[in-house]
């Protein structure tokens, strides 16, 4: 396959990603971040980064709905691309959106640091890690459902993923606090990073198999 073809697939998914961003969602996110700044304090950047990262993961999966409505798969099957290349284009676009997640994380922590006049390197680092790993984990779990069963199944998977994530946040908010989270995250950093990368790679293989099966 020509390089231009795979670039075109990535470009298509990136356009769907940005086109799907609703202005109302942006205003809602701004309101939530303001609430976090008030209730959580200087550590609000961590939660805001995590919420943004989850939103980016969701937005990447939402592109599948637009593809299904437009009958994109029938068109894609006529293109000179293999099953692996067709799916890999989607996964590459997910990697591209990590830049947006990182930029948002930096902005959220910058606002928190300026408001509270406090700079906590550990909080910035943890936020950046969340900005990278959460979208990968989210899409790694949901995209195989897209290619095996369709967007609705992936949407259900995403709803189920929200529960443990918010439970974890609530635990640190009501229990040891986010300061404890920053102090202890290094213990699990390598394990989380390796596990997420493996999940994303395995997810790609499962999605390719699903694409071939439904083809």
């Amino acid at each position: 396959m020509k390089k231009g073809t795979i670039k075109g697939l990535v470009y298509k998914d990136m356009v769907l990603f940005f086109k799907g961003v609703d202005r109302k969602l942006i205003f809602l996110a701004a309101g939530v971040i303001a609430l976090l700044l008030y209730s959580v304090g200087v550590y609000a950047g961590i939660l805001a980064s995590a919420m943004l990262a989850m939103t980016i993961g969701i937005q990447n999966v939402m592109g599948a709905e637009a593809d299904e409505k437009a009958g994109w798969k029938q068109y894609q099957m006529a293109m000179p691309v293999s099953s692996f290349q067709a799916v890999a284009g989607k996964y590459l676009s997910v990697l591209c959106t990590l830049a947006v997640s990182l930029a948002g994380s930096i902005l959220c922590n910058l606002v928190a640091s300026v408001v509270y006049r406090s700079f906590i390197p550990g909080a910035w680092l943890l936020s950046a890690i969340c900005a990278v790993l959460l979208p990968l984990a989210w899409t790694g779990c949901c995209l195989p459902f897209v290619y095996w069963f369709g967007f609705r199944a992936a949407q259900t998977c995403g709803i189920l993923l929200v529960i443990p994530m918010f439970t974890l946040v609530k635990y640190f908010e009501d229990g040891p606090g986010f300061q404890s989270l920053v102090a202890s995250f290094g213990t699990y950093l390598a394990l989380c990073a390796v596990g997420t990368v493996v999940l994303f790679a395995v997810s790609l293989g499962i999605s390719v198999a699903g694409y071939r099966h439904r083809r």
Side-chain angles (χ1 to χ4, degrees):
M1 182 182 68
K2 295 181 179 180
K3 291 184 178 179
T5 306
I6 190 70
K7 288 182 180 179
L9 292 175
V10 174
Y11 176 77
K12 184 270 297 181
D13 286 320
M14 292 298 294
V15 169
L16 287 178
F17 175 85
F18 286 108
K19 188 177 180 180
V21 177
D22 193 335
R23 291 182 180 179
K24 294 180 181 178
L25 182 62
I26 295 176
F27 287 118
L28 177 62
V32 170
I33 292 174
L35 180 61
L36 289 174
L37 285 171
Y38 174 77
S39 60
V40 182
V42 70
Y43 294 100
I46 299 175
L47 282 183
S49 297
M51 292 182 64
L52 175 63
M54 285 191 292
T55 302
I56 287 175
I58 292 171
Q59 193 65 34
N60 275 304
V61 176
M62 289 293 291
E65 182 181 24
D67 283 343
E68 287 187 4
K69 288 181 177 179
W72 168 255
K73 187 174 181 180
Q74 287 72 19
Y75 174 76
Q76 190 174 43
M77 289 172 63
M79 298 173 63
V81 296
S82 66
S83 297
F84 175 79
Q85 291 165 334
V87 177
K90 178 63 178 179
Y91 278 73
L92 283 174
S93 71
V94 172
L95 295 179
C96 291
T97 60
L98 295 183
V100 180
S101 187
L102 275 172
S105 174
I106 293 172
L107 178 60
C108 291
N109 280 280
L110 181 61
V111 171
S113 295
V114 170
V115 170
Y116 288 94
R117 299 179 181 179
S118 177
F119 176 74
I120 304 176
W124 282 65
L125 179 59
L126 179 57
S127 298
I129 292 169
C130 288
V132 173
L133 297 186
L134 281 178
L136 293 182
W138 194 281
T139 52
C141 290
C142 293
L143 286 181
F145 285 90
V146 170
Y147 289 103
W148 276 92
F149 309 109
F151 168 73
R152 294 303 174 189
Q155 191 177 41
T156 302
C157 175
I159 293 173
L160 295 176
L161 285 176
V162 170
I163 299 174
M165 289 188 178
F166 275 97
T167 300
L168 181 64
V169 170
K170 193 66 177 176
Y171 166 75
F172 280 100
E173 185 178 7
D174 297 338
F178 293 103
Q179 186 175 0
S180 173
L181 175 61
V182 173
S184 62
F185 82 93
T187 307
Y188 309 100
L189 173 59
L191 181 61
C192 290
V194 172
T196 302
V197 171
V198 171
L199 170 65
F200 195 70
V202 172
S203 172
L204 172 59
I206 296 174
S207 294
V208 171
Y211 183 88
R212 290 170 178 167
H213 175 75
R214 297 186 71 193
R215 189 168 184 173

